[in-house]
Amino acid sequence: MYDVKETFSIELQNILKPDQFILDAPMSEHTTFKIGGKADVLIFPSTIEEVANVLKLIYKSQVACTIIVNGSNVLVLD
């Protein structure tokens, strides 16, 4: 069976360092309100090139994407 999340995370390793993304990330640790469920993948690019490459991968993989900057004033569903 084809696992989009697994394939996406493998390809993500070609773009980012291991400490620049988290699988099944608890969003309560990344928002100011300290609430929320898990994100399938939470990504922390550090350069414009990394952002561009990640966005290309997202587009190619056709995965849903939500861009959050600082996690301020964001409510994430459980």
Side-chain angles (χ1 to χ4, degrees):
M1 185 172 157
Y2 181 74
D3 186 349
V4 173
K5 185 173 150 186
E6 182 179 331
T7 303
F8 182 82
S9 64
I10 290 169
E11 291 188 38
L12 199 56
Q13 293 174 35
N14 296 324
I15 300 170
L16 303 172
K17 298 174 195 158
D19 64 340
Q20 289 182 282
F21 66 95
I22 304 169
L23 302 177
D24 297 317
M27 290 304 294
S28 61
E29 295 177 8
H30 301 281
T31 62
T32 55
F33 289 117
K34 303 296 183 198
I35 60 172
K38 293 183 179 181
D40 290 332
V41 183
L42 185 60
I43 301 170
F44 304 97
S46 59
T47 67
I48 296 296
E49 182 180 54
E50 288 174 348
V51 171
N53 289 332
V54 167
L55 289 173
K56 287 176 191 173
L57 176 59
I58 288 168
Y59 181 77
K60 180 181 107 178
S61 303
Q62 298 182 353
V63 296
C65 170
T66 301
I67 298 173
I68 300 172
V69 180
N70 284 331
S72 300
N73 301 319
V74 176
L75 298 175
V76 180
L77 293 174
D78 285 338

